[in-house]
Amino acid sequence: MSIGLLTEPDRDEWEGLTRSFHSHWAGRPGRPATEVDDDGYERTWQRLVDGEQIRGICARLDGKMVGIAHYLFHASVWGAGRCYLAELFVDPHVRRRGIATAMIEWVAQDADEYGSPRLYWNTEVDADARALYDKIAIYRGYIVYNYSWPATTSAT
């Protein structure tokens, strides 16, 4: 297995896994389908490979991309910056082989080198991945709320 930052040649494989990620979560309770048009994938791809606002990595097995992660760094009010792991997805056919663990550890190392020694992420309370997360991280009991703007605004 190898893990590294996304680069231009990764574009097609990345989009395939990202579309699988969106399909995986579509229609789950409390989670509307993520509608992303071709321009949306292109904008996100450019932001990932620019590496300024968000970063992306991929995991490969035998040369094939099997996992992706997207993350960003941000300031903190009371200390060193933070790293938010926004998305992590491993192809269902290769799960339980340590790929997600290795990707999280890779992001943690990058965050530490960037000067953001705190890494965090959100997941659903009944997510299968919690078995892994409970082994490698600390659940502190926080609940995430998402504000809903009135239908008259364009916020998403």
Side-chain angles (χ1 to χ4, degrees), residues 79-152:
R82 306 286 192 264
C83 180
Y84 173 59
L85 178 60
E87 298 168 340
L88 173 68
F89 182 74
V90 174
D91 182 322
H93 298 100
V94 296
R95 290 183 181 164
R96 291 184 170 63
R97 296 187 192 181
I99 298 166
T101 300
M103 293 178 74
I104 291 169
E105 290 171 351
W106 198 101
V107 172
Q109 179 67 35
D110 192 29
D112 189 49
E113 290 173 8
Y114 189 82
S116 296
R118 290 199 179 176
L119 169 61
Y120 71 101
W121 59 91
N122 302 316
T123 194
E124 294 180 332
V125 295
D126 62 348
D128 292 339
R130 285 202 62 194
L132 166 64
Y133 300 158
D134 288 342
K135 289 179 186 175
I136 64 173
I138 299 168
Y139 171 64
R140 298 196 186 269
Y142 286 94
I143 299 170
V144 175
Y145 289 90
N146 292 291
Y147 181 80
S148 295
W149 277 264
T152 58

